[in-house]
Amino acid sequence: MVQARINRRSMLAMTAAQLALCGLTGHRAMAAQFPTGTLTLVVPFPPGGTLDIAARLLARKLEMAFGQSVLVDNRPGAGGNIGADFVAESAPDGASLLMGATSTHGINVSLFPDMPFDPVADFSPVALVGKTPNVLVVREEAGIDTLDAFVERLRQEPELGIYSSGSNGSAGHLAGELFAQKLGLDLTHVPYQGSAAALQAVLSGEVGFMFDNLSSASSHIDSGVLRPLAVTTKARSSFLPDVPAMADEGFEDFDLTTWFGVLVPAGTPEASVTRLNGAIREAMAQPDIVEALAVQRTEAAAGSPQDFAAFIAAEIARYKAIIEAANLSLN
């Protein structure tokens, strides 16, 4: 894998050098005409989730903007690595796009010892698309109303310190690890097959709590069977204005979100990236997209490619610190 990655980067570097030496005439024309044919937007997760819904909404907007087809291609597996690697290996012609996420471009590089791609070197960020807060939830029957009360109970009742997540290495798992590190407590993580099963474990009392993304947990919060104690973002969420942020409760530097955004293979012409970015930013500002994502408790978010690159770098550093402190690794 290392050799393949080196070869890919070397090939991209050689291609860039050849383009510079040749005057770029044909390639400028190609970039100016981009996109041509069908675009493929790879979703590295199964259909049906918030990221997939957002990808399909965005694909329709890009079709209208460019006047041609945009195919959404679900390629799940290995925490998103399979789909992400497929795009990393694709031709950098602007036709292959990835809906990257917290896992593929924030967590996995520090979690998997044998990554098939480099989330920074093998991609060009285009635009952030959406962000949703994670939320600490307990079942309503536990009779816990505040984060302070929960922490006090945790210190007195170790069995309450068993928490679930949708998988090992997920954002919910790592939020629990950070929570344990901040508290100086040993908490027990139990991974389940997906967020729905992990939530059910909280509802049934199999585990004491969970950090889940708000999009997934919102129906149970709305119905009153789950109690939200805090969101994991720096500030309160407009979707849960009465629920404090972890930082409000004394947990400094606790700023974890579930997010997704569009990337293309490294070496994609800058003009193509710029054109894609403009179309995405326009799409994410449209009221129907904003409203559709709000139903999923997700904030539409778009900025420049440079903004997204800086955001990814910060996310990688953030999760690396949590993973190293917990001594975590997945094969």
Side-chain angles (χ1 to χ4, degrees):
M1 290 183 183
V2 174
Q3 186 62 44
R5 193 182 306 155
I6 291 172
N7 288 343
R8 179 163 71 231
R9 292 181 196 162
S10 298
M11 182 172 61
L12 290 171
M14 290 173 61
T15 300
Q18 290 169 352
L19 290 175
L21 291 172
C22 293
L24 300 178
T25 303
H27 295 275
R28 282 182 182 142
M30 179 186 71
Q33 295 170 1
F34 174 79
T36 59
T38 299
L39 295 181
T40 299
L41 176 56
V42 172
V43 172
F45 301 100
T50 299
L51 185 149
D52 179 68
I53 292 169
R56 294 175 189 279
L57 291 169
L58 179 60
R60 302 293 78 81
K61 293 296 185 180
L62 294 181
E63 284 183 337
M64 289 187 282
F66 297 137
Q68 46 207 119
S69 298
V70 179
L71 171 68
V72 176
D73 183 9
N74 294 88
R75 291 178 176 264
N81 284 352
I82 290 176
D85 188 49
F86 176 81
V87 175
E89 297 280 4
S90 299
D93 56 7
S96 296
L97 291 71
L98 173 72
M99 188 67 94
T102 315
S103 59
T104 62
H105 284 76
I107 295 173
N108 291 356
V109 68
S110 299
L111 194 64
F112 289 86
D114 296 313
M115 280 285 285
F117 61 88
D118 185 311
V120 175
D122 292 338
F123 290 90
S124 291
V126 178
L128 186 63
V129 169
K131 297 172 68 175
T132 187
N134 299 312
V135 58
L136 169 56
V137 293
V138 297
R139 58 183 183 138
E140 182 68 27
E141 293 177 4
I144 301 170
D145 295 330
T146 67
L147 184 58
D148 282 344
F150 179 56
V151 171
E152 184 177 346
R153 287 272 300 271
L154 274 177
R155 297 190 186 282
Q156 297 171 353
E157 305 170 37
E159 66 275 9
L160 195 61
I162 303 173
Y163 72 99
S164 60
S165 82
S167 66
N168 275 316
S170 63
H173 174 195
L174 298 181
E177 291 288 351
L178 181 58
F179 190 44
Q181 292 165 20
K182 296 286 188 182
L183 290 175
L185 293 177
D186 289 328
L187 303 179
T188 302
H189 172 241
V190 181
Y192 286 79
Q193 291 294 317
S195 179
L199 281 168
Q200 187 56 44
V202 179
L203 293 169
S204 67
E206 292 177 28
V207 301
F209 70 101
M210 178 183 182
F211 286 94
D212 195 17
N213 71 75
L214 183 55
S215 178
S216 171
S218 60
S219 63
H220 296 298
I221 293 171
D222 293 344
S223 68
V225 295
L226 283 181
R227 166 79 66 171
L229 299 181
V231 293
T232 63
T233 44
K234 270 187 177 180
R236 296 188 181 213
S237 168
S238 61
F239 300 119
L240 285 177
D242 297 328
V243 176
M246 296 289 288
D248 294 337
E249 301 297 302
F251 290 84
E252 296 180 2
D253 301 321
F254 209 116
D255 186 19
L256 305 178
T257 61
T258 296
W259 57 267
F260 45 87
V262 174
L263 305 99
V264 291
T268 299
E270 184 177 349
S272 298
V273 172
T274 299
R275 187 173 181 189
L276 273 170
N277 175 265
I280 292 170
R281 293 174 75 165
E282 182 177 346
M284 301 317 296
Q286 293 181 19
D288 58 334
I289 289 281
V290 173
E291 291 170 9
L293 289 182
V295 170
Q296 301 294 320
R297 303 299 198 274
T298 298
E299 175 188 355
S304 71
Q306 294 76 23
D307 291 338
F308 193 21
F311 178 80
I312 288 171
E315 287 289 282
I316 289 172
R318 190 188 318 278
Y319 283 106
K320 181 180 180 180
I322 299 170
I323 290 165
E324 288 185 347
N327 195 28
L328 297 176
S329 179
L330 294 181
N331 295 320

